[in-house]
Structures are given as C-alpha cells and as structure tokens.
Amino acid sequence: MPYDPATIEPRWQTFWEDNKTFRAVEDRTRPKYYVLDMFPYPSGAGLHVGHPEGYTATDIVARYKRMAGFSVLHPMGWDAFGLPAERAAVREEIHPAEITKRNTDNFRRQIKRLGFSYDWDREVDTSSEAYYRWTQWIFLRLHEQGLAYQAEVPVNWCPALGTVLANEEVSPDGTYKETGDPVEKRMMRQWMLRITAYADRLTDDLQDLDWPEPVKKMQRDWIGRSHGAEVQFRVDGADAEFTVFTTRPDTLFGATYCVLAPEHELVAQITTDEHRAEVVAYADRSARRSERDRRADAKEKTGVFIGAFAVNPINDEKIPVWIADYVLAGYGTGAIMAVPAHDERDHAFATAFDLPIRDVVRPAHGSAPDARQTAFLTDGVACNSGAYDGLETAVCKERIVIDLEKVGAGRARVQYALRDWLFSRQRYWGEPFPLVKTPDGTAVPLPDDVLPITLPHLTEFKPTADGRPPLARASDWLQVPHPETGEPCERETNTMPQWAGSCWYYLRFCDARNDQEAWSSENEKYWMPVDLYIGGTEHAVLHLLYARFWHKVLFDLELVSTKEPFQKLFNQGMIRAYSYKDSSGRYYHESDVERRDGKLFANGIELSGQVEKMSKSKLNVVNPDHIIDAYGADAMRLYEMFMGPLEMAKPWQTSGIEGVSRFLNRVWRLFFAESEDGDDSIHPSIQDVNADDDTTKLRHATVAAVTEDIENLRFNTAISRMMEFVNVMNQRDVRPRSVMGDFIKLLAPFAPHLGEELWHRLGHADTIAFESWPTFDPSLLQEDTVTVPVQVNGKVRARLEVSKDLEEDAVVALAREDPAVQKHLADKELRKIIYRPGRMLNLVVS
RNA sequence: GCUCACGUAGCCCAACCGGCAGAGGCAGGGCACUUAAAAUGCCCCCAGUGUGGGUUCGAAUCCCACCGUGAGCACCA
C-alpha cells in the first residue's frame, strides 16, 4: 500500500479535532510556551501560499515544544473588521458580516487542511460582539487615562473611500497603501490616541527585545526622537517672536536666515506690504499642491522672502525671514534657523537664492572643506563663533543652550517625529465607540456594564447624503439618553480603525472564552509574554507599534504583567513566483509557456521570465488548495520550509515540491514493504535490535542537528538532515526499531500526519504529539579520527587521516613525510606553522 | 535620493568563530528493474562564490568601491 496523503491527512485531522489534542492547558507544573502567528485578515481571495509559510514555522515550533515538555499555547483567529469587506458589501449588496463569515469559513477550512496544531477552542473573531465588547472596554480605559481625545486635525482624507486614513496608511506618493486611491489634506474633528505620551518608552524598551534589528530600527526611526533645543527669534521692528527647533544649537552663529513653514501662524502678521502679494501667492500654491507634487520635486528648493528680519539671540544679528515648503508645519515648531554651511537642505536653498553661507564648525583635524561647495555635517570644533570658538561640538551645544536659557531665549528640548494616532474612521464595519455626545457636543463615555455597544444592522453602507458616516443612517440606534442625566444624546458615528482589534488579540487568546473579563490575570500571568511571534515585515511599524502602545497602557493599569507583549519576533520572507511576459508587458500563465533552446515562448512569442510578487494580474498566484490536492498537506508544509531560510524571499517552484513529495514516499517505504495483497506489512528490516555503532552515530548526529536547527528556525537544513538520514537507512537492510521511532519523532513536527500514521502503525495507541523529544549524547558526535587538510602557503596539498588528539609536532612530522607536501617544501625555508587541532595545518614557506 | 539585506553549479539552496567550496533538493545523463512505460534503486555530470581592490599564513565569510536584486523611508531641522 503506497503512501497516500489524501486518506491519511483527513483521518488525523479528524482525530486531533475529536480528541482536542491541541487544547492549551494552564498547567503550572510545566513551563509554558506561547507561539503566535500574526492572525490574517480573511480576504475574499482565500489563503495564498505566503500564509502557510509562517504558520508552518510556528506549528513546527509548537509541536516541538510540546514534545520537549512545554505547555504550549498556539492559537489562531481572524482580524475580521476592515474596509475590504465593507467595499465588497457595497458591491455585492450583501451585509459585511455575511461576507466576513463566508471568508473566515473559507480561511478556516484552508488552514485546517494544513494540519496546524491550533487550539481551535480559543479561536477569536475581532468582529464578534463577544470580542469587540472588550476592545470597547479597553478604549474606555484609554479614555479614563486621558489618552483618547478629540481634536480638529489636518487629516488624510480619501475622497474615493469617504474616510480618513492614518499617516501610516498613506504611501509616500500620497495614495492609500491598500487601494492606491489619492489622499488629500483636510481639517476634521477626530478621535486621537495619545501615543506620543509613550514615545520614550516605546523607543527605549526596544532594547531588551529579541527582534530583528531592521524592525527595531524602523520603529526607532518612526518614533524619531531627536535631542536638540528651542531657540527664540525676535522679529525686528515688530512685537512678535517665533521659536525654532534645532538639533544643532552649536551652529547658531552660522544661521544666516530663518524659514517659516508657509502655514506658520506668524506669516500673515510679519510679512511686509511690499512682499505680501508674492507671499500669499506662494503660500496658496503650496497649500493646493498635493503631497505627491511637493515630493516629486523635493530636490528643487522654492521659497519667498517675506520682508521681515529676525534677531539672532546669540549675537543680535539681523537675518532675513523666508517661507518655504521644505519646512513642514507639522514637525517641530514649523520654523527653522537655516545654517547652510552645516545642513544640506539649507545649503541647497542658500545656493539657489544666493544667501550667505558662514561656516562655524571645522573638523578637529585637517582642513575645512569649502563651505560654498558643500555642507559640513559632522561634529568638529566651533569657529567664527565668538567666545565659543574652539569648543567641541558636543560641549558647544551644551554651553550655548545654557547661555540661551540664562537670557530666556531658548532651552533644551526633545522632539519626536511620532504624531498622535488618528483613531476614528467614517466607516461602518468597525467597532462602535462606547460614547455618546450631549447636545453641546461633549463626549460622555458609557459605563462598562452596557458593553458591548453593538453595531446596528444596516443595509446601506455609504456615507449619508450630508456626508456623515454610515452609522448616522441607523436612526433608532443613534438616539440614546445620557447615562446619568437622561437628556437626549447621540451616539458617536465614527468607528475604530482596523488596528484596534489586533492591538490586544494575543491577550484574548490567553483566556478566549471568558465572558466576565477580557482575560483573567491568572491566565495572563501564565501565558504572557508571547515567546515567539512570526509574521511579515509589512507590520513592522503599524501593528507592532500600536500593540506595544496599548500593552504599555495596560501595564500601567496593572492589567498585564509584562512591559512588552512580544519577546521574540521573526519575519518570514516573501514567497514570490516566476512570471512570464512578452515585450508588450502582457503576462502569460506558466502552463502556456514552452521552453526552447533556453528561451521561453507562448504561441511563438518570445517571453521574459522573472521572479515577482505573486499577483492575479501577473498570473503567477499559487493556490494552496491545488498543491494539497496534488501532493498533500505534509508535502506542502515540508516544501515551504525546505525552499530556503525562513527570513529570506524565495521563489515558488512547483517542481521543487516533487522533491519533498518523493522524500515522504521514501520515508513510507522505509517502514512498509510492498506486498502483493496490499497489506500494511511492516518492512522486514524494521527489527528489535540494538543499533550498530554507525547507526547510533547517525541517530545522534541527526537528532542533534534537527534539534538545533528547530531552535534556530533553520528548517531548511533540518529537513536536509532528515533526508540524509533517510538516504542512508534506505540502503540498510536492518533498521533498528528504536532508531526509526526516534526518526518519526523528529519528522512529526514537520509532517505531522505522516508522523502520526507511522507512529500508530508501529503499534502505539497514543498520539505522537506528547511523546518525549529524542535526546542526544554529544560525545557520540565526535569522530575518533579526523581528516586534516595540509596546506602549503594556504593551498591544500595533502590530507592526513589522524587521531583527533594527535599532538601538533606529530602532525607536522607526518605532513613533512608526505610526498605531495615535500614537493612544495623542497629547498624552501619553513617560516611558520599554523595548526588548528582537527581543522587544518598550514605550512608557510618563504 | 537615503538606509538595510542579499548575490555560491542550469535552478532552489548548504558551508559553525575566517580554515578541505557541497549537506539536501530540482533539472540533465547513464545503468538496473520492466514486454514497455511510470514508479523505484544505484551511479555520474556541473560552480571557485556578482565585479574590482584591500586585510590575512589562509577570505564565499572581514573592510572599501562598484554592479544587480529585494525591502523600507521620503526635505523630520
């Protein structure tokens, strides 16, 4: 009977489900391990091959940790609120809840086919009342802490979607990241979360996390903490002053002009009449220009002199004031002092408008570069700075700040690029805010015991005719009495953004069925923090930063016991695929492609082949269902892990899955002999005997390598070690039962269905899921003799087979006797001997 | 434009702290089994590590520059 995943796999999936094999237990007698996937947004397109990559990795770790004696929490759920379902609802005229259910059912079915060891009893759906009740509850805690507030803010308004977007959702080119629709700036009253209050901790606490450095760097850059100073500039001849922020107070003597953002509030007041027309025109133009335009020609500096002069507080020098759109209204104070000699942008601007350039910092050693040619950006020694001349940059910064403070013209200040989080959306398919508004517009939080504030059922999801969000259509729902006074109030019609639900789902998994609290503190203390969190880099900033922010708020409220939610983070690489297109850019499906003379054709047209992101339009999407149908889930899992290192981007090659499928077949045949009558007869080579020395060594070496590789998430090399084992055992006619049993244990996390089947057929009644992981004896990994390459001047000339403890002198003596070595030593002087015991010997001759 | 990562056989990828370039797989070739084919088994072929410099007794590995690919960022004072 041949290996047949189509019968084995559903059987074991049913077994696991019926027996609740993977139920996570708060077992205080055992160490815990919490291994989490970034839960998916259940899109209508279904699972693609990228999802199972991370899921398989975490599943291998989860299964391995169970066998290693840990109590494992390995859950799955759905990030189910969100825009795509709402847009599909409008398109198909079906309620978003129904679309979401359809999609989650499909995702669940596809994920279950892969045999992941999730505790399905803990499945969560962020769009269910049982879940978003607690999202609202957390919002109330944020509100209590003064971290949620309303403000009239410049927002990213997306006319096509009829909603605002967070800065993080807008691409650099001024479009919505998800859909590419254009986005414009508009002032609106919105709910904000004061994430900036946590900026320092969000930066500082990254230090102790086991996260990829690039992700930490992205978060640090996003928060953008910079240390500098505020400096006040009086406007000459006017009763006005403005403040600039600078990271280089030491260059104050080099400030030759100031620049205000065109939107700066002082502009109208201090512009002189003769410049007014020009200034208004410029400010107008830059306000109307889209983000995209402004960025397109960012290199070309534009601006206008406004006729006013500012007084430099350090030396009373009068310097001209300009407006220019390279100074951003939303960052710092919206005003800068320009030091062209030591800032590239100021230098470009000064050059364009012929403004003076004065160098005030020189390198500590060597000569100063020509300040007219290039800005000198690095630290050095002050010059042209009066009493400060000769001071090192760091010292000079401090001294100038102290002196400015004395005269009330400045102070040290820390500035962040991070802005508060815009937390409301004019959408239907999201969490309603647990608030009402009194007639005078005051927001009143509702008490905990009325939660959840359920989303009213609507049939129309567009904004109202007067531009209010869809929830304004729910007239019955909208009107409520004030929770205390009973006066008529209206509910908030905005909903929360999609990130809200994903900010805390890892906590809900700790206690997913609790209907009294969001989670119990006992469970939270047992499971948290998440020990391993795997997902794509696309969430490096948004989700991970928001979740960390909420977690810290909850920590301060003593609702969670850890400072950080995710101890170890790992990003899987993207799975891409070959795509084929002709010279006109038209794509062809792989099945239409023929290969001739090393070239590619479709219908006689020559094509180019390249590796690209999978997408429908490129006709290169691989559907996991088809792969499982053809090869089985175990082969699919194994292939995705075998393709290459988890963190690397790699191309999908359907031919590659043939290889792992053959491997699984070969494993099967190690255990079962082919018989005429199709019986399940154990292969006669499987015997209850002690392993010989070679087999024992192989067993220990394989266990050691696979264990270490799993610990380090190097699944590709783990699999190749198992292949080696199988290739060797395949040639043996005696396969000791104990060794083969250990091999099944190693294989089981990777190919769990086959693992269970083999284990079962070898006569075990219980699931393999909790069998103890094989151990190894390091002393058996070492060979008694080693092959030492002998190099002469770095080139290998001979190899010596020696005992691994042989002394250096003896090895050298042996080497010198070797004819091949002698040839290269002849009549040369031996100058140096480098011996690395057991590794190599290098003889250096003149 | 800036930052980071990665370039090893026809292809996907190994190679520990700098020490024999090859573990594994795909594709290709040969042989065996077979009436034949598929499947299977055994064997074989194939690169000197993107390019150019440098450090070192010794470089795929460290340093510099360039080229290519991918990801992220967007005038953050």
Side-chain angles (χ1 to χ4, degrees):
Chain A
M1 189 194 141
Y3 169 54
D4 180 24
T7 57
I8 293 175
E9 293 179 352
R11 184 157 74 229
W12 286 104
Q13 285 165 19
T14 307
F15 174 91
W16 296 327
E17 188 145 356
D18 290 350
N19 291 281
K20 293 196 184 294
T21 307
F22 304 118
R23 203 161 44 91
V25 206
E26 288 80 19
D27 176 354
R28 261 151 261 276
T29 66
R30 281 188 298 157
K32 67 91 187 182
Y33 197 83
Y34 186 177
V35 50
L36 182 66
D37 293 294
M38 290 186 186
F39 69 163
Y41 175 77
S43 75
L47 217 59
H48 58 79
V49 293
H51 287 114
E53 188 190 13
Y55 303 164
T56 303
T58 53
D59 195 57
I60 291 167
V61 173
R63 289 175 180 272
Y64 160 71
K65 289 285 179 184
R66 266 183 219 110
M67 294 172 77
F70 288 81
S71 184
V72 170
L73 175 55
H74 186 41
M76 179 46 78
W78 320 108
D79 191 12
F81 270 137
L83 202 46
E86 185 165 334
R87 306 189 98 197
V90 172
R91 207 169 47 235
E92 300 178 35
E93 300 191 327
I94 301 175
H95 194 273
E98 225 174 289
I99 290 177
T100 302
K101 181 175 185 310
R102 188 174 77 194
N103 292 348
T104 50
D105 285 348
N106 188 39
F107 262 68
R108 189 185 304 103
R109 176 190 66 79
Q110 290 189 301
I111 286 176
K112 285 195 172 181
R113 283 194 81 187
L114 281 152
F116 297 129
S117 61
Y118 294 123
D119 177 357
W120 287 104
D121 287 351
R122 296 188 189 231
E123 179 181 351
V124 301
D125 173 343
T126 57
S127 70
S128 67
E129 284 176 28
Y131 184 91
Y132 71 68
R133 167 185 182 181
W134 302 112
T135 310
Q136 293 170 336
W137 179 83
I138 295 173
F139 176 83
L140 289 174
R141 303 290 83 75
L142 289 157
H143 192 268
E144 279 166 7
Q145 297 303 304
L147 294 167
Y149 64 99
Q150 292 183 87
E152 190 79 23
V153 288
V155 297
N156 304 298
W157 173 255
C158 179
L161 303 178
T163 191
V164 302
L165 301 169
N167 286 327
E168 296 84 310
E169 294 172 299
V170 181
S171 294
D173 66 0
T175 60
Y176 177 42
K177 275 184 181 167
E178 299 288 317
T179 63
D181 290 311
V183 175
E184 58 189 50
K185 289 280 178 198
R186 191 185 271 197
M187 294 301 283
M188 277 183 98
R189 190 154 196 89
Q190 296 289 319
W191 278 101
M192 307 290 293
L193 292 186
R194 213 179 295 279
I195 190 172
T196 50
Y198 283 76
D200 276 320
R201 284 160 68 189
L202 288 169
T203 287
D204 294 340
D205 292 348
L206 285 170
Q207 202 182 323
D208 303 321
L209 297 178
D210 185 2
W211 283 22
E213 252 342 290
V215 177
K216 290 190 187 184
K217 186 177 182 300
M218 280 179 339
Q219 294 221 346
R220 283 195 194 101
D221 288 352
W222 189 264
I223 295 164
R225 178 166 65 191
S226 62
H227 297 270
E230 278 179 2
V231 184
Q232 263 99 46
F233 282 74
R234 245 181 341 98
V235 179
D236 188 45
D239 181 21
E241 63 171 26
F242 60 88
T243 305
V244 305
F245 174 70
T246 177
T247 55
R248 293 295 301 273
D250 61 300
T251 62
L252 192 47
F253 281 88
T256 53
Y257 62 101
C258 281
V259 187
L260 305 182
E263 302 90 335
H264 195 282
E265 53 182 12
L266 218 54
V267 171
Q269 186 192 332
I270 64 174
T271 299
T272 58
D273 290 339
E274 78 182 283
H275 291 91
R276 190 166 303 277
E278 207 187 341
V279 165
V280 169
Y282 181 83
D284 233 41
R285 211 178 325 129
S286 60
R288 257 185 293 112
R289 284 173 82 196
S290 67
E291 285 288 288
R292 179 176 231 152
D293 272 7
R294 277 173 76 154
R295 282 175 174 141
D297 46 24
K299 259 164 279 160
E300 205 178 305
K301 293 282 180 288
T302 60
V304 200
F305 176 49
I306 68 171
F309 287 84
V311 180
N312 187 335
I314 202 82
N315 58 6
D316 289 333
E317 189 184 0
K318 290 181 188 130
I319 55 178
V321 179
W322 288 61
I323 61 169
D325 63 9
Y326 84 94
V327 173
L328 310 174
Y331 181 76
T333 59
I336 63 158
M337 62 180 215
V339 185
H342 305 292
D343 181 279
E344 277 179 334
R345 294 150 304 178
D346 296 345
H347 192 273
F349 191 83
T351 308
F353 293 97
D354 206 19
L355 291 157
I357 298 171
R358 186 192 309 145
D359 67 315
V360 292
V361 185
R362 303 202 156 153
H365 308 286
S367 59
D370 181 354
R372 277 163 312 182
Q373 290 305 312
T374 172
F376 176 67
L377 305 174
T378 39
D379 285 5
V381 174
C383 61
N384 296 328
S385 298
Y388 303 91
D389 280 358
L391 293 180
E392 280 172 40
T393 297
V395 179
C396 189
K397 278 182 185 176
E398 272 176 48
R399 287 276 293 278
I400 288 192
V401 171
I402 290 169
D403 292 346
L404 287 172
E405 263 178 65
K406 280 184 198 152
V407 298
R411 60 186 180 92
R413 171 164 158 191
V414 180
Q415 176 66 40
Y416 302 89
L418 183 71
R419 324 269 174 90
D420 275 341
W421 176 10
L422 183 106
F423 196 66
S424 39
R425 298 290 184 275
Q426 289 68 55
R427 313 297 327 180
Y428 170 73
W429 193 234
E431 299 86 349
F433 282 85
L435 298 157
V436 296
K437 279 185 197 160
T438 61
D440 69 2
T442 316
V444 180
L446 294 168
D448 290 355
D449 57 20
V450 305
L451 300 182
I453 306 304
T454 54
L455 206 50
H457 195 274
L458 290 185
T459 49
E460 176 71 73
F461 312 105
K462 291 186 190 129
T464 61
D466 57 348
R468 300 186 67 200
L471 281 181
R473 293 174 180 278
S475 38
D476 293 348
W477 177 83
L478 207 55
Q479 307 301 330
V480 277
H482 188 286
E484 281 150 31
T485 67
E487 70 177 311
C489 289
E490 193 169 276
R491 290 190 194 274
E492 171 64 65
T493 54
N494 284 320
T495 53
M496 299 187 200
Q498 199 184 340
W499 312 109
S502 60
C503 270
W504 72 282
Y505 74 111
Y506 57 92
L507 290 167
R508 186 63 180 169
F509 280 140
C510 295
D511 200 2
R513 293 291 163 264
N514 192 331
D515 57 6
Q516 300 303 307
E517 353 168 50
W519 57 84
S520 69
S521 94
E522 308 88 78
N523 281 22
E524 185 276 329
K525 282 201 178 76
Y526 182 72
W527 292 116
M528 288 299 291
V530 174
D531 296 286
L532 177 64
Y533 194 24
I534 296 188
T537 348
E538 66 272 20
H539 294 116
V541 182
L542 311 176
H543 159 62
L544 289 169
L545 192 66
Y546 293 153
R548 293 180 62 222
F549 164 47
W550 279 34
H551 195 86
K552 287 183 182 302
V553 175
L554 296 170
F555 178 75
D556 290 347
L557 292 170
E558 298 183 7
L559 291 165
V560 298
S561 57
T562 63
K563 282 202 299 191
E564 287 282 337
F566 314 119
Q567 187 49 42
K568 177 172 176 139
L569 175 73
F570 197 89
N571 299 119
Q572 85 259 19
M574 197 187 306
I575 296 184
R576 297 151 76 214
Y578 283 90
S579 65
Y580 305 91
K581 62 179 171 188
D582 61 26
S583 52
S584 72
R586 188 177 154 194
Y587 281 94
Y588 294 81
H589 197 268
E590 184 165 32
S591 57
D592 298 329
V593 177
E594 314 154 49
R595 274 155 222 278
R596 255 183 280 139
D597 317 325
K599 289 180 179 168
L600 303 162
F601 298 91
N603 310 324
I605 306 164
E606 186 166 354
L607 306 177
S608 66
Q610 56 278 311
V611 175
E612 296 188 280
K613 239 184 231 189
M614 289 191 192
S615 87
K616 264 191 219 160
S617 62
K618 297 189 177 100
L619 303 178
N620 64 345
V621 175
V622 178
N623 180 336
D625 277 328
H626 299 160
I627 303 297
I628 298 174
D629 289 343
Y631 301 98
D634 282 339
M636 166 99 187
R637 294 169 55 115
L638 215 55
Y639 175 58
E640 292 221 358
M641 294 300 97
F642 187 59
M643 291 171 78
L646 186 61
E647 69 276 16
M648 267 178 36
K650 37 208 174 261
W652 179 275
Q653 293 184 308
T654 301
S655 63
I657 200 169
E658 308 260 3
V660 293
S661 178
R662 264 176 231 165
F663 165 70
L664 293 176
N665 274 288
R666 189 183 278 203
V667 169
W668 184 266
R669 287 193 307 271
L670 284 183
F671 288 91
F672 305 111
E674 298 220 7
S675 64
E676 297 295 316
D677 53 6
D679 261 4
D680 312 338
S681 56
I682 299 288
H683 199 283
S685 65
I686 306 280
Q687 296 168 20
D688 289 304
V689 294
N690 288 329
D692 60 28
D693 284 0
D694 271 4
T695 309
T696 302
K697 270 187 185 163
L698 176 66
R699 179 216 166 273
H700 284 261
T702 306
V703 171
V706 172
T707 305
E708 206 176 296
D709 282 347
I710 294 177
E711 292 276 3
N712 293 296
L713 309 178
R714 289 191 305 243
F715 306 114
N716 53 328
T717 48
I719 293 166
S720 78
R721 290 307 286 245
M722 291 190 280
M723 287 174 165
E724 264 182 282
F725 175 90
V726 168
N727 290 345
V728 172
M729 293 316 289
N730 194 43
Q731 300 189 46
R732 298 281 172 79
D733 41 25
V734 176
R735 299 170 187 149
R737 187 180 284 266
S738 66
V739 172
M740 298 310 285
D742 284 344
F743 171 74
I744 297 172
K745 291 183 187 176
L746 298 186
L747 180 67
F750 296 82
H753 310 89
L754 179 57
E756 291 278 23
E757 186 72 16
L758 295 174
W759 192 246
H760 175 72
R761 289 187 183 226
L762 242 44
H764 300 277
D766 273 344
T767 168
I768 196 169
F770 303 101
E771 291 297 326
S772 62
W773 189 253
T775 54
F776 60 93
D777 177 355
S779 70
L780 287 174
L781 303 181
Q782 290 178 2
E783 301 290 335
D784 301 332
T785 64
V786 286
T787 306
V788 177
V790 180
Q791 301 177 343
V792 179
N793 284 351
K795 292 212 165 44
V796 179
R797 299 300 182 186
R799 293 165 213 279
L800 298 175
E801 189 78 17
V802 299
S803 150
K804 85 172 145 49
D805 310 313
L806 198 63
E807 297 289 326
E808 173 172 344
D809 290 352
V811 177
V812 174
L814 273 174
R816 299 184 77 157
E817 282 166 22
D818 188 286
V821 174
Q822 272 175 358
K823 201 171 97 192
H824 291 93
L825 291 181
D827 60 86
K828 297 207 177 97
E829 189 193 343
L830 185 59
R831 302 176 64 120
K832 200 168 172 187
I833 296 168
I834 296 147
Y835 181 59
R836 300 283 282 265
R839 307 283 295 181
M840 61 98 230
L841 172 68
N842 191 8
L843 304 173
V844 184
V845 297
S846 56

